[in-house]
Each structure stands twice: as structure tokens, then as C-alpha cells.
Amino acid sequence: MPELPEVESIAQRLCEGTETIPLPGRKIKHVSLYWPRHIVQPSVSTFRRRMKDRVIRDVRRRGKFLVFPLDEGNLLIHLRMSGDLTICPAKKPRGSYEHTIFHLDEPWQLRFSDARKFGLIYYLKDPGRVLNRLGPEPLDPAFTAHLLAERLKKHQRMLKPLLLDQRFLAGLGNIYTDEALHYAGLHPRIRSDSLSQDQVEKLWHGIQTTLREGLRQNGASIDWVYRGGSFQNQFRVYQRTGEPCPICSTPIERIIVGQRGTHICPHCQPEITK
DNA sequence: CACGAGACCTGTTCGC
DNA sequence: TGCGAACAGGTCTCGT
């Protein structure tokens, strides 16, 4: 589920606490771990001890990570494929996917639900140890088309797997990559170092446009995992196999690129560039 | 360095 | 209806 727009929407929801309580200012009394393998660092017992009585200062996002600066250290959560975070009353029965529960100082809890159990939780003094490996934020003003061009030239890789590589750019996932490439009229297998200036500009605009539109719609809701977003109604190619391309009406095709299901318009995104 | 295969998990949907 | 295969928002490790 969660790519940049979905993670950002979740961060905002937790920060504002509409209909629940804002997370900043709350104290974590203790945690319940029903799937301890979620805890990457430190050890489970240390994590438990360190979380006790920490005060949550803020809720932020970096790439696809949720970052919670605490009065002491930082909590990092990566939702991976099926994670979601909600604030709910302590008395609400625990759902079968709610594997990690943070008990707060009010009759509320922060619950990490994760059907596929791929999620990751860190408690770190220095979050940079994890976050510094990430590439630039695509919506940061510092991320210009010029910078994108420079970075693309440093590799000779297929466009799509490169865009999905979080060290190259932080926040894109399968949905927004397919959408951005269609917007730019670029085939996902084109080599990153073979783009013209014009093509780089289109790709940059495609990334900006799809992410901003995703944010405006609070992300995309798919399947049973995450709801709340409506960007799925705007998909041009993602999961639209067989439907007409909104630009030229050619049926959308599904192919595999870098072991990921990939959706393209074979007419708007020719494999051979001119 | 680039890339494919396989792994980590569970749930839903597809095809016969 | 039943049952296995395919597929799912992500990323890591290993071998070529």
C-alpha cells in the first residue's frame, strides 16, 4: 500500500488526530509486541525498556519511513507492503493484524496493523543511520530536473527499477512509478543514461504531477489494507490492464520489469526511443 | 555494476 | 463449489 503520498497522509492523520487525539505530546506508557520480529533494532527487550515513558514530539515522513522524534531518541516505522497505523480507543478489541500496540497516556493506543508482517520498527539515537541511505525527496525544491538528469546519467539501468531504488530517489513505489512513466511517455525498460533533456524534463514533471495529485487525494486505497485515499480513481495505467489508454485509447498492457508487475500503454510508451 | 531468482508473510482473486 | 496458482503497495541477499 504505502508509497510517499500514503505515508504522508498517514503522518498527517496521526499529527492532527481528527476524531481521535493528536499524537505529538502523548506519552508511550508501554508497548505490546504480538510479532516481535517487527523490531529490527535494538533487541526486543531493549526496545521494550527504552520505549517506556517516552514522549512523542512529532510525526514526520522521510521517503517511505514514518519518523517519530521522541524526548529521547527516535522511533522509525516502515510500513512495507501492508502496514497501517491508527490511533484508537484502548478498549477497542485488537484486530488480528494489529501486531504492535503502543499504549499511550490517555485511554488511547497507537496500533501498527500489518497483515503480511513485512513492516519494520527501529528505535535509534541517530535516525541518520537508516535515513541517510535514502536518495533525495522528490518533492523537495532541491530536487530539480537538472539534478534528476545528473543522477540518471550516473547509471546504466532500466528506468523503472532505478526509480524504485530508494537510494536513487526516496518515496516512489510501483503505483507512482508506472503512473509517472506513462505521464512522461517513457517505456520502463529504457536505459537511464539514454534520455534526452526533453525526456528527463517530462519524467521530472511526471513524478511531480503524480505525487502531488496522489497527495491531494490522500493517497490511493487498494484492496482491504488501506482506505482513506481516492487516488485509485485517477490511475491511468496502474491495474488498468486491457482498459483504453486515456491519451490514445490503445489497450493498457501488463508486463514484467525487474520482477514487478508493470502497466504501460504500448503506443504512448514505445520501447525503442527515437 | 546490473540484474534475476528467491526469501520474507498472508490474504484475495483467478482459472479450471 | 473446490483447489491450487498467481498476484499484491517493498526491500534484502545471493549468485551470475
Side-chain angles (χ1 to χ4, degrees):
Chain A
M1 169 274 293
E3 304 181 28
L4 186 153
E6 290 78 26
V7 178
E8 181 68 33
S9 298
I10 290 169
Q12 284 173 19
R13 194 174 75 203
L14 297 179
C15 224
E16 290 159 14
T18 317
E19 295 177 23
T20 56
I21 47 158
L23 209 45
R26 298 272 63 80
K27 180 185 276 191
I28 298 168
K29 295 181 76 176
H30 64 283
V31 296
S32 298
L33 308 174
Y34 297 90
W35 182 255
R37 287 164 66 180
H38 267 150
I39 312 301
V40 182
Q41 236 180 37
S43 70
V44 171
S45 57
T46 307
F47 179 82
R48 235 189 259 285
R49 224 177 316 121
R50 294 281 155 75
M51 290 314 277
K52 198 167 163 40
D53 295 327
R54 291 283 65 72
V55 177
I56 300 170
R57 294 279 191 226
D58 200 0
V59 184
R60 303 194 192 134
R61 178 195 60 75
R62 171 77 172 99
K64 298 174 191 171
F65 282 89
L66 282 155
V67 183
F68 305 83
L70 309 175
D71 58 339
E72 211 176 288
N74 298 270
L75 177 68
L76 267 59
I77 298 184
H78 195 300
L79 304 171
R80 291 284 192 109
M81 295 281 268
S82 59
D84 195 11
L85 283 166
T86 51
I87 299 171
C88 65
K91 59 185 168 193
K92 186 179 170 191
R94 183 174 71 92
S96 44
Y97 308 141
E98 292 175 337
H99 304 303
T100 301
I101 296 187
F102 299 83
H103 303 259
L104 306 176
D105 58 346
E106 300 276 331
W108 297 94
Q109 296 176 340
L110 173 64
R111 299 187 183 182
F112 179 27
S113 100
D114 183 20
R116 290 177 74 178
K117 301 177 176 171
F118 286 168
L120 308 169
I121 300 177
Y122 302 78
Y123 173 71
L124 301 167
K125 275 266 179 281
D126 173 20
R129 294 193 38 213
V130 169
L131 303 180
N132 287 345
R133 309 175 54 204
L134 297 174
E137 280 292 321
L139 297 180
D140 189 310
F143 181 68
T144 59
H146 178 71
L147 180 64
L148 175 61
E150 281 188 345
R151 293 177 72 84
L152 286 168
K153 267 182 243 155
K154 284 184 192 159
H155 303 270
Q156 301 97 253
R157 292 176 62 182
M158 295 185 287
L159 276 183
K160 174 160 175 172
L162 185 57
L163 292 171
L164 287 174
D165 187 333
Q166 302 298 299
R167 294 168 302 185
F168 180 78
L169 190 60
L172 289 183
N174 213 30
I175 295 176
Y176 293 90
T177 302
D178 279 7
E179 294 294 314
L181 287 170
H182 177 267
Y183 185 99
L186 295 170
H187 193 283
R189 281 200 264 255
I190 294 175
R191 299 283 140 174
S192 57
D193 60 345
S194 73
L195 296 195
S196 66
Q197 182 61 37
D198 182 52
Q199 289 175 316
V200 174
E201 301 259 340
K202 281 186 183 155
L203 178 55
W204 184 84
H205 277 289
I207 293 168
Q208 302 296 310
T209 306
T210 51
L211 287 178
R212 287 184 198 284
E213 185 58 19
L215 277 174
R216 206 175 67 74
Q217 312 256 358
N218 295 312
S221 305
I222 299 194
D223 293 347
W224 80 106
V225 183
Y226 169 84
R227 14 196 72 66
S230 52
F231 185 63
Q232 70 280 5
N233 301 317
Q234 315 288 126
F235 290 168
R236 296 155 141 236
V237 291
Y238 186 77
Q239 286 188 345
R240 296 228 183 281
T241 309
E243 295 179 40
C245 168
I247 305 298
C248 72
S249 299
T250 303
I252 301 303
E253 284 180 9
R254 181 180 184 279
I255 60 175
I256 303 292
V257 180
Q259 294 130 253
R260 304 300 301 277
T262 300
H263 310 79
I264 60 163
C265 167
H267 179 260
C268 297
Q269 298 166 267
E271 180 140 26
I272 311 299
T273 51
K274 293 148 287 184

